[in-house]
């Protein structure tokens, strides 16, 4: 199978599976506990149907949206994710290049493998900086100053990860940073030598957002230590309110799941929220973002930009979320598998296919612009009129 044979999420996933040592594939593909939330994140889109309008005179399609003051040429963005140069040596650079080309938003994670400064200066696109809240308040302030100096317009604080999720696939393979592989895990690297050669012959693996603060290179610390020792589970609304005030710009909370928390985000001055369960990687059994979308948009949609992510594999999934009032929709594994499968051309192809799917679905729905999508375009199965 080659890149040109990839026509959808599953094709890219299969190609990534072939290329990656299985501990790395399973790190991307896996989720917490029984992975119920992970499966539900995509399955939930089948619980409702699109209702197209016909003969509307569709001409030019404009799928642009404005999110937290940034114009995006398409209503999907690449959500920040960790460790990308482990999946393909081009890592964040490949994703930023594609995001720039398709005019959409991207940004590095605190656990990113390319510096936020490099991405900010080399690629023209709306950029976010995703960060976690540390016990060390000085470190939190330093990270915000760094992002501010680099000219990043949107801070995105992830609030669903105050401790690490229970990823049992990683426990089985021994996946961690630095690597602490089981014998079986090591054998999986041995049978994928191309990945190993790329890893060894390209720039050394680092975490530039954190390297001044955590020493992972020596093996003295690990990502799991980062979550358990450095992040602050006692973070509360007052702490975040202080950060929002300090930042004094676009500030977004990623991982909001309830109406009450969405209202609090509005109260402390956030300009965006991402309804998210971290791709099912944190609290298994948590509701899917799509299932929570309507009630959150009803409550705060006129006061704050409501985004969502989780389980998006198709343009029609995007249209369903937009119909319920999401301002834009985040992609995770939908660009990570293409990255792992083929680097920059892979991410480019996946965004091109997604753009094409959204455009075709908009035409078939009879819509020229995103604001023409409304809840009237959707019918939940439970709402379907019964036939006598
Ligand atoms: C391999 C991987 C790494 C991730 N790393 C981060 C991260 O560092 N910070 C963060 O806020 N979210 C992270 N996420 C969550 C994504 O930003 C996003 O919420 C999630 O992937 C959406 O679900 P989807 O993969 O089903 O599209 C990660 C997700 C994956 C799959």
């Amino acid at each position: 199978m080659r890149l040109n044979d990839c026509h959808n999420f599953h094709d890219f996933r299969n190609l990534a599976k072939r290329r990656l040592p299985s501990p790395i594939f399973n790190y991307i593909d896996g989720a917490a506990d029984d992975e119920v939330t992970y499966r539900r994140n995509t399955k939930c889109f089948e619980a409702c149907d699109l209702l197209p309008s016909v003969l509307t005179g569709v001409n030019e399609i404009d799928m642009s949206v404005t999110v937290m003051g940034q114009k995006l040429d398409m209503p999907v963005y690449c959500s920040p994710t960790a460790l990308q140069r482990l999946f393909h040596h081009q890592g964040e650079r490949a994703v930023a290049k594609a995001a720039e080309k398709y005019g959409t938003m991207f940004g590095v994670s605190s656990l990113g493998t390319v510096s936020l400064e490099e991405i900010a200066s080399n690629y023209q696109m709306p950029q976010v900086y995703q960060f976690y809240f540390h016990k060390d308040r000085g470190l939190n302030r330093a990270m915000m100053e760094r992002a501010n100096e680099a000219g990043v317009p949107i801070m995105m604080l992830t609030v669903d990860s105050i401790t690490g999720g229970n990823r049992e696939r990683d426990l089985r393979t021994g996946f961690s940073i630095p690597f602490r592989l089981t014998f079986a895990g090591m054998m999986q690297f041995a049978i994928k030598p191309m990945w190993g050669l790329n890893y060894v012959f390209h720039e050394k693996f680092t975490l530039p957002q954190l390297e001044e603060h955590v020493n992972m290179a020596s093996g003295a610390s690990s990502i799991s230590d980062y979550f358990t020792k450095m992040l602050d589970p006692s973070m509360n609304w007052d702490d975040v309110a202080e950060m929002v005030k300090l930042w004094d710009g676009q500030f977004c909370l990623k991982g909001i799941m309830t109406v009450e928390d969405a209202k609090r985000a509005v109260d402390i001055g956030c300009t965006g929220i991402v309804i998210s369960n971290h791709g099912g990687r944190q609290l298994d059994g948590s509701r899917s973002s799509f299932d929570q979308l309507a009630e959150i948009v009803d409550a705060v949609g006129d006061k704050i930009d409501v985004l969502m992510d989780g389980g998006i594999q198709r343009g029609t999934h995007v249209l369903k979320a937009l119909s319920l009032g999401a301002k834009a929709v985040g992609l995770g594994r939908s660009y990570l598998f293409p990255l792992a499968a083929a680097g920059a051309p892979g991410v480019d192809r996946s965004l091109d296919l997604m753009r094409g799917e959204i455009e075709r679905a908009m035409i078939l729905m009879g819509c020229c612009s995103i604001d023409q999508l409304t809840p009237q375009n959707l019918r939940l199965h439970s709402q379907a009129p019964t036939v006598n």
Side-chain angles (χ1 to χ4, degrees), residues 79-353:
S79 189
T81 56
L83 311 183
Q84 290 179 19
R85 281 201 296 115
L86 213 53
F87 314 151
H88 188 282
H89 63 267
Q90 294 166 344
E92 285 85 349
R93 294 174 185 121
V95 184
K97 189 171 168 207
E100 178 181 56
K101 176 172 167 190
Y102 291 93
T104 193
M105 185 164 83
F106 172 56
V108 295
S109 155
S110 296
L111 295 168
T113 53
V114 173
S115 77
L116 69 106
E117 288 85 359
E118 179 186 327
I119 298 293
S121 61
N122 292 359
Y123 304 91
Q124 301 305 310
M125 71 197 157
Q127 195 182 338
V128 301
Y129 175 49
Q130 178 277 321
F131 74 115
Y132 294 110
F133 192 85
H134 303 91
K135 286 181 185 148
D136 178 350
R137 303 298 201 258
L139 172 54
N140 294 333
R141 276 194 296 276
M143 284 185 140
M144 289 212 293
E145 268 163 35
R146 204 175 144 178
N148 188 24
E149 274 164 25
V152 174
I154 303 173
M155 287 303 275
M156 185 178 268
L157 176 68
T158 298
V159 289
D160 59 16
S161 305
I162 50 178
T163 189
N166 178 37
R167 321 239 175 104
E168 292 177 1
R169 295 202 216 183
D170 296 347
L171 296 178
R172 253 171 239 124
T173 62
F175 179 90
S176 70
I177 300 293
F179 289 137
R180 282 177 196 151
L181 296 169
T182 58
F183 179 71
M186 255 182 273
M187 292 314 289
Q188 293 303 318
F189 277 76
I191 60 173
K192 298 281 163 70
M194 273 316 286
W195 182 91
L197 288 175
N198 272 320
Y199 182 73
V200 171
F201 288 113
H202 286 94
E203 181 191 340
K204 189 169 166 274
F205 181 85
T206 55
L207 298 172
Q209 273 58 253
L210 289 176
E211 65 195 351
E212 281 173 27
H213 314 282
V214 196
N215 181 5
M216 288 189 203
S218 67
S221 184
S222 68
I223 291 221
S224 97
D225 290 342
Y226 173 72
F227 277 99
T228 51
K229 295 187 186 150
M230 290 189 66
L231 299 190
D232 188 356
S234 71
M235 145 172 90
N236 63 30
W237 286 98
D238 292 337
D239 295 320
V240 180
E242 211 176 287
M243 297 184 88
V244 174
K245 212 178 270 171
L246 201 64
W247 179 254
D248 195 24
Q250 302 289 343
F251 199 106
C252 176
L253 297 184
K254 175 171 181 284
I256 294 292
M257 287 299 293
T258 68
V259 166
E260 291 70 27
D261 285 349
K263 286 182 177 166
R264 291 181 117 164
V266 172
D267 291 343
I268 63 166
C270 291
T271 50
I273 50 172
V274 186
I275 307 175
S276 174
N277 54 40
H278 217 105
R281 297 163 72 81
Q282 290 296 110
L283 178 66
D284 194 32
S286 169
R287 204 155 189 238
S288 77
S289 310
F290 181 65
D291 287 334
Q292 275 304 83
L293 181 59
E295 63 184 74
I296 293 182
V297 169
D298 273 358
V300 298
D302 56 343
K303 301 183 187 79
I304 195 166
D305 285 348
V306 179
L307 290 73
M308 68 140 277
D309 71 26
I312 301 285
Q313 296 178 0
R314 285 284 183 194
T316 49
H317 297 162
V318 176
L319 258 59
K320 287 178 178 178
L322 297 173
S323 297
L324 288 185
K327 284 275 159 66
V329 171
L331 307 175
R333 296 173 184 89
S334 273
Y335 77 84
L336 286 178
F337 287 135
L339 171 68
V347 186
D348 185 300
R349 183 169 172 83
S350 70
L351 289 188
D352 189 42
L353 288 170

Side-chain angles (χ1 to χ4, degrees), residues 36-49:
V36 174
T37 296
Y38 179 25
R39 288 191 295 278
R40 175 73 194 156
N41 276 352
T42 300
K43 193 79 189 148
C44 62
F45 289 102
E46 290 175 21
C48 67
D49 303 316

